[in-house]
């Protein structure tokens, strides 16, 4: 007899089925969780290739623009992405073409894999790829193959590990540095500089599309080769079409992009200030970026001017120049050689650093020391007549003598005898020490002699520019530098009045080319045998120096500083445009009077220890000396006054602070002088013209 089914049986069977289904789903979920955990462990265990991608050293201008780039060790041009970033339009076009779901996947794109597999089954060949940008980056890191399935699996694993380690931004940064662009060029920045001559921070749609298309077949699509331009244009236009379809470009913008011509040549990488850049790279090995104070516009103009200056000159003639801000010491333009790429002209030698004869360019510094010591004034009379200094009998450049002249005339006409007379009174050791303080040490074979002031020693162009910068800064030297934030004050070379005297004389010298005098204080120099032609000058803010000659030191017949170097110097100042700054007015205490109104001791130069023929006062038996304050002393001022006392000599006395007369015709050996805190040079001149000096540090009350 059949058993009668209870109404509850179907419910029990349904419950059992639900329980079984739930158990099955639980088992599947558990298996899925276990699989995901295993996959996660597999990804985490991935051994990644080195992620530190070497990039070439970049030397940057003061505005961050590229002056010169260097390849990495194997000669590969690979540069870091610019600090300002890459054009956003290029990035959108890249993702739209290579990996539209880049922002959503974890390194592999299942939809792209399914699509590529279905298309391959349907067509019997590979129609589209499935590699994501992350997988492409993995392949570029490991330099792996593209078609092998084992390689694809490896790239997928590395891609997922990179996603966890670096994130999307890090992966994109690696791709932008590693994408191949043919030959020895990698990365979008190097490619943009090579094909378009500009940074990839702002690209046109046509430029962006070409940079997206090239890495897929960089050699087959080279636009600079006529046989491959068609392939390059077709690939670029496919990228443009995709961008239009995705709404990244309007129809009008896409049509304009397709109409743009392709680049037809590879451009050279920037190489501004090449010798300086190479020196900085050697000084900072491994530095990815080296910042400088160079002004890129002035640097380009300076290099053009230097190249123009040597054009048409005899073979192997080169040029070097420096332009700096003398207030800060920042170098704004630097040309070490006019023909960097020509080894026959010594293009590899930085002539701003080479020791060469300064010719007559040290004369203003010698006179400034004389002004500071109270030996001379611009209107002081001095003899330009044949004279012997030991066994040395110097002559003027033109072998003519002018007789009695003023110091002003002697410097303007660059006469030799007067400056040697002043140098003899100062002493060669004193002059050499002052040049060292100014950052322009003179190299001689033995102890410096008087011939140093006429070019008998070696000085670098950079040192001369620094010394002239000291005159421009009122006698206070500042070290020239090319790295930001490295300003360093050097010692005082002369007082502000003495420095202004020298500059006021140099400014009245007529410039070349019919330019008006008074804008630039300048001086030229020509070394013995016409081996070096020099010009140095400054205005109220800038100081510059120019050298022309042959780096190997052979003569250049007929080369004169005034003919060769001076025009280049003034062209450089003209390049400043509206930034040119007038020379300063006379400082307080400058004595701008004719010779007849000078204190008697300053009317005619007389070497120390001699008596003027027309002077009725006989010299004292005891030599002139400053009794108080002694040399090197620190003295506290009393109500802005300095107590001084002289011993010996013959009154009346003239007292000077930093070359500025502060007491004229004082009859007593002791007196009080008005003074201010700071370093100062105290000088006294007696009625016979003898003088003495002390270097002091004056301290205010409290």
């Amino acid at each position: 007899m059949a058993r009668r089914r209870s109404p509850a049986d179907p419910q029990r069977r349904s419950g059992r089925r639900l329980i079984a289904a739930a158990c099955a789903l639980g088992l599947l979920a558990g298996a899925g969780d276990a699989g995901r955990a295993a996959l996660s462990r597999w990804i985490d265990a991935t051994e990644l290739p080195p992620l530190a991608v070497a990039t070439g050293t970049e030397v940057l201008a003061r505005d961050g623009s590229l002056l010169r780039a260097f390849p990495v060790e194997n000669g590969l041009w690979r540069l870091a992405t610019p600090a300002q970033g890459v054009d956003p339009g290029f990035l959108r076009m890249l993702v739209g073409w290579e990996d539209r779901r880049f922002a959503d996947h974890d390194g592999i794109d299942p939809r792209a894999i399914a699509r590529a597999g279905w298309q391959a089954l349907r067509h019997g060949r590979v129609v589209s790829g499935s590699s994501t940008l992350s997988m492409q980056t993995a392949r570029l890191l490991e330099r792996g193959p593209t078609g092998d399935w084992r390689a694809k699996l490896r790239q997928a694993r590395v891609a997922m590990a990179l996603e966890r380690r670096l994130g999307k931004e890090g992966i994109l940064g690696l791709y932008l540095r590693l994408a191949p662009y043919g030959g020895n060029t990698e990365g979008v920045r190097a490619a943009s500089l090579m094909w378009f001559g500009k940074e990839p921070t702002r690209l046109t749609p046509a430029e962006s599309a070409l940079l997206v298309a090239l890495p897929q077949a960089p050699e087959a699509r080279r636009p600079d080769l006529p046989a491959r331009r068609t392939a390059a244009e077709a690939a670029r236009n496919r990228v443009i079409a995709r961008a239009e379809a995705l709404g990244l470009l309007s129809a009008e913008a896409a049509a304009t992009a397709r109409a743009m011509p392709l680049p037809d040549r590879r451009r050279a990488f920037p190489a501004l200030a090449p010798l300086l850049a190479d020196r900085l790279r050697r000084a900072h090995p491994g530095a990815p970026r080296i910042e400088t104070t160079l002004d890129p516009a002035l640097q380009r103009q300076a290099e053009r001017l230097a190249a123009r200056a040597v054009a048409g000159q005899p073979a192997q003639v080169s040029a070097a120049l420096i332009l700096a801000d003398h207030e800060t010491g920042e170098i704004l333009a630097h040309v070490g050689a006019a023909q960097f790429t020509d080894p026959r002209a010594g293009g590899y030698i930085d002539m701003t650093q080479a020791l060469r004869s300064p010719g007559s360019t040290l004369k203003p510094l010698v006179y400034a020391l004389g002004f500071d010591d109270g030996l001379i004034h611009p209107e002081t009379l001095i003899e330009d007549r044949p004279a012997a200094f030991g066994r040395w009998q110097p002559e003027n450049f033109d072998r003519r003598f002018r007789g009695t002249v003023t110091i002003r005339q002697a410097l303007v006409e660059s006469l030799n005898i007067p400056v040697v007379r002043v140098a003899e009174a100062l002493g060669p050791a004193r002059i050499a020490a002052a040049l060292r303080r100014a950052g322009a040490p003179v190299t001689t074979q033995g102890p410096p002699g008087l011939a140093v002031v006429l070019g008998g020693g070696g000085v670098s162009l950079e040192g001369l520019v620094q010394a002239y910068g000291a005159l421009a800064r009122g006698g206070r030297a500042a070290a020239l530098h090319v790295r930001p934030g490295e300003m360093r004050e050097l010692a005082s070379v002369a007082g502000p009045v003495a420095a202004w005297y020298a500059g006021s004389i140099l400014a009245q010298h007529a410039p070349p080319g019919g330019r008006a005098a008074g804008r630039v204080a300048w001086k030229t120099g020509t070394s013995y045998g016409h081996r070096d032609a020099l010009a140095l000058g400054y205005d109220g803010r800038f100081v510059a120096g120019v050298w022309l000659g042959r780096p190997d030191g052979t003569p250049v017949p007929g080369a004169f500083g005034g003919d060769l170097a001076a025009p280049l110097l003034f062209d450089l100042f003209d390049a400043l445009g509206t930034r040119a700054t007038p020379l300063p007015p006379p400082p307080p205490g400058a004595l701008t009077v004719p010779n007849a109104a000078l204190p008697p001791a300053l009317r005619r130069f007389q070497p120390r220890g001699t008596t003027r023929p027309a002077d009725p006062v006989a010299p004292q038996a005891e030599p002139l000396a400053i009794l108080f304050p002694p040399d090197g002393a620190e003295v506290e001022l009393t109500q802005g006054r300095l107590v001084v006392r002289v011993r010996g000599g013959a009154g009346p006395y003239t007292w000077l602070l930093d070359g500025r007369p502060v007491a004229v015709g004082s009859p007593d050996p002791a007196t009080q002088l008005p003074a201010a805190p700071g370093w100062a040079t105290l000088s006294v001149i007696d009625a016979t013209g003898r003088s003495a000096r002390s270097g002091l540090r004056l301290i205010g009350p409290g």
Side-chain angles (χ1 to χ4, degrees):
M1 181 175 174
R3 181 184 175 188
R4 188 175 178 181
R5 293 182 178 180
S6 168
D9 287 344
Q11 295 178 356
R12 284 195 292 269
R13 285 195 297 271
S14 176
R16 285 194 294 269
R17 284 195 295 269
L18 287 173
I19 291 170
C23 289
L25 288 173
L27 289 172
L28 287 173
D33 289 341
R36 282 191 293 272
L39 177 63
S40 182
R41 289 193 298 272
W42 183 66
I43 294 171
D44 288 339
T46 304
E47 185 177 344
L48 291 175
L51 301 181
V53 176
T55 55
T57 297
E58 303 168 28
V59 181
L60 307 177
R62 66 190 301 118
D63 64 353
S65 61
L66 186 62
L67 291 172
R68 187 180 182 189
F70 294 88
V72 294
E73 288 183 0
N74 57 2
L76 188 69
W77 286 105
R78 187 199 296 134
L79 302 175
T81 51
Q84 302 91 334
V86 176
D87 190 297
F90 165 79
L91 296 177
R92 289 191 292 268
M93 201 176 287
L94 172 67
V95 172
W97 177 258
E98 293 286 1
D99 189 357
R100 276 181 286 172
R101 284 175 289 279
F102 176 65
D104 302 321
H105 61 64
D106 294 326
I108 60 173
D109 186 354
R111 292 172 59 182
I113 294 172
R115 183 199 68 236
W118 169 249
Q119 290 175 340
L121 287 172
R122 184 178 178 185
H123 297 280
R125 59 183 177 85
V126 176
V127 175
S128 64
S130 60
S131 290
T132 62
L133 274 172
S134 304
M135 292 174 65
Q136 292 180 49
T137 302
R139 176 177 59 81
L140 293 171
L141 273 172
E142 296 191 322
R143 306 288 172 176
T146 58
D148 183 78
W149 70 268
R150 296 178 186 83
K152 287 288 186 184
L153 181 60
R154 168 65 181 169
Q155 290 160 19
R157 182 181 185 182
V158 173
M160 290 186 287
L162 288 175
E163 292 273 350
R164 294 187 176 187
R165 177 77 64 85
L166 302 178
K168 300 294 183 182
E169 186 174 343
I171 289 172
L172 193 57
L174 279 176
Y175 179 86
L176 294 178
R177 276 179 280 172
L178 291 169
Y181 283 91
N184 63 338
T185 305
E186 286 186 358
V188 68
R189 188 175 182 205
S192 182
L193 290 167
M194 180 180 69
W195 291 119
F196 312 127
K198 68 178 186 179
E199 296 281 2
T201 51
R202 292 180 64 87
L203 297 168
T204 67
E207 292 167 344
S208 293
L210 182 62
L211 293 181
V212 169
L214 281 177
Q216 299 167 15
E219 291 298 334
R221 296 173 178 175
R222 281 183 52 175
D224 61 321
L225 300 179
R228 300 174 187 177
R229 286 178 66 82
T230 300
E233 186 173 19
R236 180 197 69 174
N237 290 347
R238 286 194 295 272
V239 176
I240 293 171
R242 173 72 63 81
E244 183 182 5
L246 294 174
L248 302 178
L249 293 178
S250 66
E252 182 181 0
T256 301
R258 280 189 288 268
M260 295 298 293
L262 294 171
D264 57 4
R265 62 185 175 90
R266 293 189 178 201
R267 299 170 183 262
F269 285 88
L272 290 171
L275 293 174
L276 174 63
D278 194 48
R279 173 154 49 100
L280 290 172
R281 180 178 66 100
R282 292 195 306 271
H284 302 85
R289 284 189 170 97
I290 301 174
E291 297 178 343
T292 74
T293 60
L294 295 187
D295 182 300
L298 287 175
Q299 180 64 33
R300 291 188 186 91
Q301 184 71 346
E303 293 188 11
R304 285 193 291 266
L305 291 173
R308 188 178 71 184
V310 301
Q313 294 297 328
Q316 288 97 47
V317 169
S318 187
L321 60 86
I322 292 177
L323 173 67
D325 183 326
H326 57 67
E327 282 302 314
T328 64
E330 293 181 344
I331 295 177
L332 304 176
H334 181 286
V335 179
Q339 299 144 316
F340 167 63
T341 58
D342 185 359
R344 296 172 301 173
Y348 53 90
I349 302 175
D350 187 347
M351 293 307 297
T352 67
Q353 307 297 302
L355 296 179
R356 303 300 287 253
S357 167
S360 297
T361 58
L362 297 182
K363 290 177 179 176
L365 296 158
V366 175
Y367 284 127
L369 295 175
F371 296 143
D372 214 29
D373 273 12
L375 288 175
I376 52 174
H377 178 274
E379 305 307 326
T380 298
L381 298 177
I382 194 168
E383 296 303 313
D384 178 40
R385 304 179 188 277
F389 302 87
R391 291 183 296 176
W392 183 41
Q393 294 182 317
E395 295 180 331
N396 289 323
F397 196 79
D398 59 6
R399 298 186 178 181
R400 296 173 49 237
F401 298 95
R402 274 71 169 175
T404 302
V405 297
T406 62
I407 295 293
R408 182 182 302 278
Q409 181 185 351
L411 181 52
V412 168
E413 298 186 24
S414 196
L415 303 179
N416 289 341
I417 307 302
V419 76
V420 176
R421 293 184 187 277
V422 175
E424 183 183 42
L426 293 167
R430 165 90 191 287
I431 295 169
L435 291 171
R436 281 196 302 273
R437 293 198 304 273
V442 179
T443 300
T444 57
Q445 292 184 346
L450 290 176
V452 163
V453 302
L454 300 184
V459 188
S460 70
L461 179 65
E462 184 173 303
L464 288 173
V465 173
Q466 191 159 267
Y468 271 68
L471 290 179
R473 297 180 84 239
R476 299 172 295 109
L480 295 185
H481 59 278
V482 75
R483 298 294 310 280
E486 292 186 353
M487 181 177 177
R488 180 167 52 91
E489 292 271 356
L490 301 179
S492 177
V493 179
V497 171
W500 183 83
Y501 283 157
S504 68
I505 298 172
L506 297 177
Q508 74 180 77
H509 190 34
R515 299 174 175 91
R519 170 188 159 197
V520 176
W522 66 290
K523 181 75 179 73
T524 63
T526 305
S527 68
Y528 177 78
H530 300 273
R531 290 174 170 83
D532 308 275
L534 294 136
L536 282 297
Y538 56 88
D539 68 3
R541 179 180 172 188
F542 302 100
V543 59
V546 168
W547 170 91
L548 284 96
R550 289 192 172 112
D552 63 4
T554 55
V556 183
F560 295 94
D563 296 334
L564 288 183
L568 177 54
L569 177 73
F570 276 85
D571 287 342
L572 195 57
F573 276 101
D574 288 343
L576 291 168
T578 57
R579 286 183 284 183
T581 306
L583 289 164
L591 197 60
T592 55
V593 297
N595 178 270
L598 290 174
L602 287 175
R603 292 175 189 169
R604 179 178 290 273
F605 172 75
Q606 198 72 12
R608 298 182 194 269
T610 62
T611 305
R612 304 178 189 281
D615 201 325
V617 183
Q620 294 280 341
E622 188 176 9
L624 180 70
I626 296 176
L627 187 63
F628 182 85
D631 188 41
E634 292 188 357
V635 183
E636 184 173 341
L637 299 175
T638 302
Q639 297 181 342
R641 310 288 291 182
L642 171 66
V643 176
V644 295
R645 178 180 292 276
V646 69
R647 179 178 61 195
Y653 303 97
T654 297
W655 293 90
L656 303 95
L657 271 175
D658 293 329
R660 174 172 56 92
V662 289
V664 178
S666 177
D668 299 323
T671 188
Q672 295 186 21
L673 308 177
W679 293 98
T681 299
L682 175 67
S683 303
V684 63
I685 309 170
D686 73 358
T688 70
R690 291 177 294 182
S691 64
R693 63 183 296 277
S694 292
L696 311 171
R697 184 186 177 202
L698 305 179
I699 304 172

